Amino acid sequence: MPPAPKRKFRIAVLVSGRGSNLQAIHRAIQKKLFDGEIVLVVCDRPDAGALEFCRKNRIPAKYIAPGEFKTKLEGPAEETYIAELRAVRPDLIVLAGFMRVVKPLFIRAFENRIINIHPSLLPKYPGLHTHARAIEAGDKETGCTVHFVNEVIDGGKRIMQARVPISPGDTEDALSARVLKEEHQVLPSVIKMFAEGKIDYANWPNEPVVWSGATHRT
Amino acid sequence: MPPAPKRKFRIAVLVSGRGSNLQAIHRAIQKKLFDGEIVLVVCDRPDAGALEFCRKNRIPAKYIAPGEFKTKLEGPAEETYIAELRAVRPDLIVLAGFMRVVKPLFIRAFENRIINIHPSLLPKYPGLHTHARAIEAGDKETGCTVHFVNEVIDGGKRIMQARVPISPGDTEDALSARVLKEEHQVLPSVIKMFAEGKIDYANWPNEPVVWSGATHRT
């Protein structure tokens, strides 16, 4: 018998917007950075650009109505999200610009297999509008962090960070664009490490790896 | 000649969700709490419950695509919002659960005529997830605040607040429901004061009025 084909690493992605980090993951897979596939994209906004990107690139994607809450996923909608995601048996769930807080039911359903990318050097600036806050505070640098998701907003174990200097006179938009470029490198790098079995929650240290650009450039 | 009919106070409302505060404003007008009309509701989510409420109640409403950003209104979409709102000549713009930060262009277009309702006793807990934060902090009370909108998130001059005690063992949902009930009283009360010419930005004190329930119950 020929050897069984090696199973691809199964990634589910949750998005709310145009999905530029989703696009970076897709690009990394196309370039064979790791042996994975995006098995489902779930989006909480029917008009999000990410859905259009998925249609064009034949990535399985669906809009699932997020229910009555504006900033969290809870209640019947949460259960639907869990069921739809369970059905595709993901190895990893990536929150890539998903603008809702996931709650304990969801977190326990995929325990230690949910990661998020956040545009700050956590623990600095959890929550929104991180770039404006970093500029207002006069910080000299900011960046992005990929971390495990737990019940504290942007508070789970950090996996990898990239640092980005802030220049005098930097605007929120300019800084945001520069950090986003790094996000597009760091997130696929982290997923690659998951796909290669190099990361698991229990054995991961409390300090994040600082991304050096050594692994790849997509 | 008969006297010219008195002009109704023109209210525009921006929403993102089911619009329970919008419904409270509508109810107050129906009950003739003040002589006003909702001249336009603008919503940044095509599937929001608020749009359905407006259809059923013949309130002029439109979904306007919010553009590429997830948490702010900026760029071409911001200009569309401004143009659509200017076209209906609002006396007051009410952010009633509109889940985006409005930026200087928008704020200057309607200077000192934009108010927001926020579910905390500002200056405590600007931003999101206020009830969870108040419970975590062990606070004995929370509430809601109606305030003028300026360029600091939830930071403009406060107009009116209602206080709500936090009970031991309170959950986020239970507390949220109790505060929401107060929001539905405070927001129409503030709009009534605007409609009667009792509030203008320049003469308003730096301390908010504490809502006593004296003005009305809708």
Side-chain angles (χ1 to χ4, degrees), chain A residues 47 63 71-72 99 173, chain B residues 47 63 71-72 99 103 173:
Chain A
D47 55 349
Y63 158 68
T71 64
K72 63 181 176 180
M99 300 308 287
D173 286 351
Chain B
D47 55 350
Y63 159 68
T71 65
K72 63 181 177 179
M99 300 308 287
K103 305 293 283 186
D173 286 351

Side-chain angles (χ1 to χ4, degrees), chain A residues 29 34 40 43 89 128 175 196 200 211 214:
Chain A
I29 293 172
F34 54 86
L40 185 62
C43 183
R89 294 168 290 112
L128 297 177
L175 186 56
E196 294 171 351
D200 73 282
W211 188 69

Side-chain angles (χ1 to χ4, degrees), chain A residues 14-74:
Chain A
L14 270 64
V15 291
S16 297
R18 70 202 145 116
S20 77
N21 272 309
L22 164 69
Q23 295 179 29
I25 299 167
H26 177 70
R27 213 157 45 230
I29 293 172
Q30 299 251 301
K31 289 189 172 183
K32 302 189 191 303
L33 180 68
F34 54 86
D35 192 28
E37 62 180 320
I38 299 171
V39 292
L40 185 62
V41 171
V42 182
C43 183
D44 66 338
R45 278 181 44 191
D47 55 349
L51 290 172
E52 181 61 21
F53 174 79
C54 289
R55 268 191 297 276
K56 283 189 183 149
N57 291 278
R58 297 164 184 247
I59 300 168
K62 47 180 85 163
Y63 158 68
I64 305 178
E68 67 181 300
F69 302 111
K70 281 171 284 193
T71 64
K72 63 181 176 180
L73 182 65
E74 201 171 35

Side-chain angles (χ1 to χ4, degrees), chain B residues 3-74:
Chain B
K6 216 177 131 252
R7 192 173 155 288
K8 285 176 194 239
F9 189 71
R10 301 174 66 80
I11 304 156
V13 185
L14 269 64
V15 290
S16 297
R18 72 202 144 116
S20 78
N21 271 308
L22 163 69
Q23 294 178 30
I25 299 167
H26 176 70
R27 211 156 47 228
I29 292 172
Q30 298 249 300
K31 290 189 174 185
K32 302 190 190 304
L33 180 68
F34 54 86
D35 191 28
E37 63 180 320
I38 299 172
V39 292
L40 185 62
V41 171
V42 183
C43 183
D44 66 339
R45 278 180 45 190
D47 55 350
L51 290 172
E52 181 60 19
F53 173 78
C54 289
R55 265 191 299 276
K56 283 188 184 150
N57 292 277
R58 297 165 182 246
I59 300 167
K62 44 180 88 164
Y63 159 68
I64 304 178
E68 66 181 302
F69 302 110
K70 281 171 285 193
T71 65
K72 63 181 177 179
L73 182 65
E74 200 171 35

Side-chain angles (χ1 to χ4, degrees), chain B residues 42-203:
Chain B
V42 183
C43 183
D44 66 339
R45 278 180 45 190
D47 55 350
L51 290 172
E52 181 60 19
F53 173 78
C54 289
R55 265 191 299 276
K56 283 188 184 150
N57 292 277
R58 297 165 182 246
I59 300 167
K62 44 180 88 164
Y63 159 68
I64 304 178
E68 66 181 302
F69 302 110
K70 281 171 285 193
T71 65
K72 63 181 177 179
L73 182 65
E74 200 171 35
E78 182 183 26
E79 291 176 25
T80 307
Y81 272 68
I82 292 170
E84 294 277 357
L85 286 165
R86 275 203 172 122
V88 298
R89 294 168 291 112
D91 296 309
L92 186 70
I93 293 177
V94 181
L95 310 186
F98 184 63
M99 300 308 287
R100 290 174 182 274
V101 172
V102 292
K103 305 293 283 186
L105 193 70
F106 186 94
I107 293 168
R108 283 194 299 260
F110 306 103
E111 190 136 39
N112 300 334
R113 287 183 292 142
I114 312 169
I115 62 172
N116 180 45
I117 182 149
H118 180 78
S120 81
L121 294 173
L122 289 173
K124 269 197 149 175
Y125 311 125
L128 298 176
H129 311 292
T130 54
H131 302 309
R133 288 152 74 194
I135 292 170
E136 267 170 44
D139 292 359
K140 294 278 178 284
E141 65 169 7
T142 185
C144 61
T145 306
V146 175
H147 63 91
F148 284 102
V149 171
N150 68 9
E151 295 173 24
V152 178
I153 295 171
D154 302 320
K157 211 185 252 189
R158 295 165 298 159
I159 301 168
M160 196 183 283
Q161 293 186 321
R163 296 175 178 279
V164 174
I166 301 178
S167 313
D170 241 340
T171 64
E172 191 183 346
D173 286 351
L175 187 55
S176 167
R178 289 212 310 286
V179 173
L180 198 58
K181 260 186 148 170
E182 296 308 301
E183 294 177 36
H184 297 167
Q185 302 299 325
V186 173
L187 185 56
S189 298
V190 169
I191 296 173
K192 176 185 167 72
M193 290 172 69
F194 271 100
E196 294 171 351
K198 293 180 180 160
I199 303 181
D200 72 283
Y201 184 83
N203 295 318

